[in-house]
Amino acid sequence: MKKRIMTSLAAIIATCVLITGCGTSSGNVNEDQGGNTSNEPQTGASTDAQVTIRVALNKGEVSDDEVTEFETNNPGIKIKLEELNPQKLAAQIATNDAPDLIRAQGAVDLTSYVVKGLAMDLTPYLQKSEMLKEDDFLPPVNLFRFDGKVQGQGPLYGMPKDWSPDFTIFYNKTLFDAAGVQVPDSKSPLTWNELMELGKKLTLKEDGKVKQYGLALGSKTQADLPSIMDYLASKDVKVFSEDMKTADFTKPEVKEAVSMWVDAVKNNLGKNDVNQDPATWGGDLFMNNKAAMIMAGYWFSGMIRGDEKMKTHLNDFGMLPAPIAENGNLVSPTGAATGFIISKNTKNPDQAWKVFEYIMAGTPAKNRASGGWGVPALKSLIPLMPQETDFDKRVYNQLQEELKYSNVPLESNPFLLNGQTLLDKYVTPVYFGKADLDDALNELTKNMNLIIQENMNAIQ
């Protein structure tokens, strides 16, 4: 059972599934690794001996030059970057050989790490830090807090290196013009239904084949848990019981959300399981002028301004507000808040903390902020964000509006590690006309509850 849970956790890291949030810790959440239950930072390996701190991350998130700078200023510590591999990480965790720093998403898998006793409480280090100060934190940092019951409260187990309100819409005006469609007013959020109708107008066909998609998503333009949970947040609807023991995806609002995506697949708004478009992801479609819109966070502006072709005509691109549900509330949450935790089993917690501080507040953090690759976690880094071109200014100004509504956490459950896999299993047949949506949501709910109970039992 432990192996199964660890494998599921690794799958979450790979696919950025949004359903793993809050739960109950199986141990003392204030207990440090090695049995230290005090609030004082541990002393790791001798500071006179050189130690190596392993960091599991995606390629390019920390550069070789940044590593060299850190090692030059901290001669007793070497950094070893390890490209994140879900299967490898699962095996490392199972054999107590996990990297010292592990890439994690606050909105996705943080509390699952805590529930399983894999994340170190960083509160004692934070209290003494000169680089990281709580009054400099932006709200998404709280997604890395967990008191054993409520996400956003209690000890700090990590931080986002960057984040974004992830449901904003980037558009390509040239492709709007090709479809004879006007770009919406960025001051007035579309409803989800209006967004889908706009996507249909922007989907162009030639000889029966789609030559221009209306709306791309990161993976596929079909039902995913992040967008469903965003829709429910706008409606202020909960699908998990307060004790996290059950889920109910048969609620009318869930059906509303999933129905939109079933219709999007039917109308070929983007890459999906039915049309089997070979594009790697939605960003490829947008960057190659094959999708007029893409739902993506502020970080996507970094891709646009960094592209050799696109940066020659940046005025063609812009960002629209996140959509809202019909008669719903304005919400623009983050779906990830990507950052790092420190493994509770690190043999060198003091040195790992130094690396953590550097990534979160040192040169890597400043380079990310100035490059527009997401919103910094620290207020003091906001002025570094790009504001030079008209494109930069328009996107930055839109971001400021989104930030007013971004402190709404998406509902999640730490015991549902394979939520997206289950959603795909039961809803995909609906896309092909081989299953009824009501039946699919009933089966989805039943199997989610079985998984939740199984995982709760496994860690008790």
Side-chain angles (χ1 to χ4, degrees), residues 163-170 294-302 319 372 374 395 399:
W163 65 284
S164 291
D166 286 313
F167 300 91
T168 49
I169 308 294
F170 283 87
I294 183 170
M295 179 172 283
Y298 171 82
W299 58 268
F300 196 76
S301 68
M319 187 170 78
V395 171
L399 173 67

Side-chain angles (χ1 to χ4, degrees), residues 112-336:
S112 289
Y113 274 121
V114 176
V115 163
K116 294 170 182 63
L118 300 173
M120 188 173 83
D121 178 1
L122 305 182
T123 306
Y125 287 95
L126 178 63
Q127 291 171 344
K128 296 185 176 184
S129 177
E130 294 297 323
M131 296 180 68
L132 295 171
K133 301 293 184 182
E134 290 194 60
D135 60 5
D136 194 26
F137 290 173
L138 285 168
V141 175
N142 290 327
L143 289 172
F144 284 81
R145 295 186 185 279
F146 187 46
D147 64 2
K149 294 182 179 180
V150 180
Q151 187 173 15
Q153 299 180 14
L156 185 77
Y157 289 96
M159 274 184 63
K161 62 181 179 62
D162 57 66
W163 65 284
S164 291
D166 286 313
F167 300 91
T168 49
I169 308 294
F170 283 87
Y171 65 83
N172 182 336
K173 186 177 182 301
T174 298
L175 299 191
F176 270 72
D177 292 343
V181 177
Q182 186 173 356
V183 175
D185 183 357
S186 63
K187 296 180 181 179
S188 302
L190 298 169
T191 66
W192 275 97
N193 288 335
E194 288 172 339
L195 175 64
M196 295 301 179
E197 290 304 311
L198 182 62
K200 292 176 185 178
K201 294 177 182 178
L202 292 165
T203 300
L204 305 182
K205 296 182 179 179
E206 190 174 86
D207 298 328
K209 295 182 179 180
V210 176
K211 70 171 185 178
Q212 173 181 304
Y213 289 119
L215 176 64
L217 262 66
S219 179
K220 302 172 184 177
T221 303
Q222 58 191 50
D224 69 345
L225 286 174
S227 65
I228 292 171
M229 303 314 291
D230 175 78
Y231 185 92
L232 296 178
S234 182
K235 285 280 195 177
D236 197 23
V237 170
K238 307 290 186 182
V239 291
F240 298 115
S241 61
E242 189 173 347
D243 59 9
M244 293 295 163
K245 291 183 178 180
T246 60
D248 184 2
F249 276 68
T250 67
K251 291 188 174 184
E253 295 83 1
V254 176
K255 184 177 179 180
E256 289 172 12
V258 179
S259 294
M260 291 189 309
W261 293 113
V262 172
D263 190 58
V265 171
K266 178 181 177 181
N267 287 279
N268 272 318
L269 267 61
K271 167 186 168 75
N272 58 56
D273 280 339
V274 177
N275 63 37
Q276 290 291 306
D277 191 292
T280 305
W281 68 298
D284 285 343
L285 294 170
F286 189 90
M287 301 296 281
N288 289 295
N289 296 316
K290 293 182 179 179
M293 298 186 293
I294 183 170
M295 179 172 283
Y298 171 82
W299 58 268
F300 196 76
S301 68
M303 295 195 69
I304 293 175
R305 74 171 58 84
D307 184 81
E308 290 301 319
K309 293 181 180 179
M310 288 186 163
K311 68 183 182 182
T312 63
H313 55 110
L314 285 176
N315 285 338
D316 286 341
F317 306 103
M319 187 170 78
L320 299 173
I324 61 174
E326 295 288 342
N327 301 314
N329 302 313
L330 280 168
V331 295
S332 190
T334 180

Side-chain angles (χ1 to χ4, degrees), residues 400-440:
Q400 303 315 303
E401 288 300 310
E402 300 302 299
L403 294 181
K404 297 175 183 177
Y405 309 101
S406 65
N407 60 351
V408 178
L410 298 184
E411 191 186 13
S412 53
N413 189 310
F415 307 106
L416 190 60
L417 300 181
N418 56 349
Q420 185 65 45
T421 301
L422 289 172
L423 180 70
D424 290 339
K425 177 180 179 180
Y426 293 105
V427 175
T428 297
V430 179
Y431 303 145
F432 288 89
K434 297 185 179 299
D436 175 77
L437 181 55
D438 286 318
D439 292 341

